[in-house]
Amino acid sequence: MSAVLIDGRQYAADLSARLADEVEELACTGERPGLATVVVGNSYPAHAYERRVRRLAERVGCHYVCEALPGAAAEADALAVVGKLGADPRISGILILRPLPAQVSEASLYRALDPIKDIESVHPISAGLLALGRPRYVPSTPASVFHLLDRYLTESGRDPAQTYRQSNLVVVGRSANVGKPALMLAMDRGATVVSCDEHSHAAGLLFEHTTQADILIVAAGVAGLIRGKHVKQGVIAVDVGINAIKDGDTGKVRLVGDIDTEDVAGRAEAITPVPGGVGPITDVWLLRNTVAAARLAQGIGAAFPSTEGLQLPVIC
Ligand code: NDP
């Protein structure tokens, strides 16, 4: 392996250094930040993510609630939970975990969120603000991707602004939570942006584009989708994917990304590992957005403006 492995855990530790103090300062004014997660069903990645977020929330002193519904829950039950959390003054931010079962519409749940508590910017109003370059909260996963890229580019002696403007940046995956907001943040930075999805793959176009990428962001949820032959020599590759793979012999589950790390590392300049790349930063960013939401609820602005920590803030 010759590529630089970007250490997301270290970046996350640096970002979270002030978090517990911010939470305590708010708690002293009577507004302890509160995070709620909503999980429907038994998805392994959703529950693994919930446990990570719970641990971090408790460590930094946030009030934390997880509303877990069975996989057979009706949409009305899930909507009732989102409504209840919206009305609960102890809750500053709400995260609806995916995947949701087929009978529960993601769009309906997102519409039911109070936009002030919508720390992932998935409500139509929040998504519109993000598309206009004026997000109230930068959603945690794409924010983490660009925080990581901004910091890596700076540390490797480059000006991120200039680098983005001179780069072909390809995003694989276009979900409302990850791929689309990542595309918007990339456009705001002046990169030449290409979006690929499952249709691009089916049409035989995916690897035509990934091999042109100077910066490649992969968020497809397909283990090992991108191999060495699918990237350009010297690419900076960010692996967002988290896929649970069960060992046939031991039954143990391990997490892998969408990029075949070993294979791509032979050609890449830098690559993010899974686990230990984007994920740890995402967790911290979610809590930062929760703190920002608590400040907004108090009418005193954001402790962490949602763009702080991103080198090229989108226009607020
Ligand atoms: P979704 O399933 O909502 O979206 C997947 C996207 O990838 C879709 O746009 C889909 O295309 C596209 N896609 C699927 N298969 C292919 C393929 N073979 N080739 C090209 N594109 C493909 O997933 P999410 O966006 O929510 O998550 C993506 C991954 O990131 C998952 O592994 C998830 O676990 C992980 N994740 C990681 C986080 C972190 O902090 N590291 C946080 C959030 C998610 P189409 O639109 O055509 O269906």
Side-chain angles (χ1 to χ4, degrees), residues 199-217:
H199 304 291
S200 324
H201 196 189
L205 294 169
L206 176 64
F207 303 130
E208 198 174 295
H209 292 296
T210 58
T211 47
Q212 296 302 311
D214 302 302
I215 298 174
L216 177 64
I217 299 167

Side-chain angles (χ1 to χ4, degrees), residues 45 49 52 98 106 120 140-141 144 172-179 196-202 206-207 218-222 225 239-243 256-258 274 277-283:
Y49 188 28
R52 285 205 327 258
R98 300 164 69 239
E106 198 174 292
E120 285 292 82
S140 57
T141 308
S144 305
V172 182
R174 49 150 189 173
S175 69
N177 308 58
V178 184
C196 294
D197 59 20
E198 214 168 341
H199 304 291
S200 324
H201 196 189
L206 176 64
F207 303 130
V218 190
V222 180
L225 174 68
D239 192 352
V240 181
I242 302 177
N243 308 287
V256 301
D258 290 351
V274 176
V278 176
I281 308 174
T282 302
D283 303 346

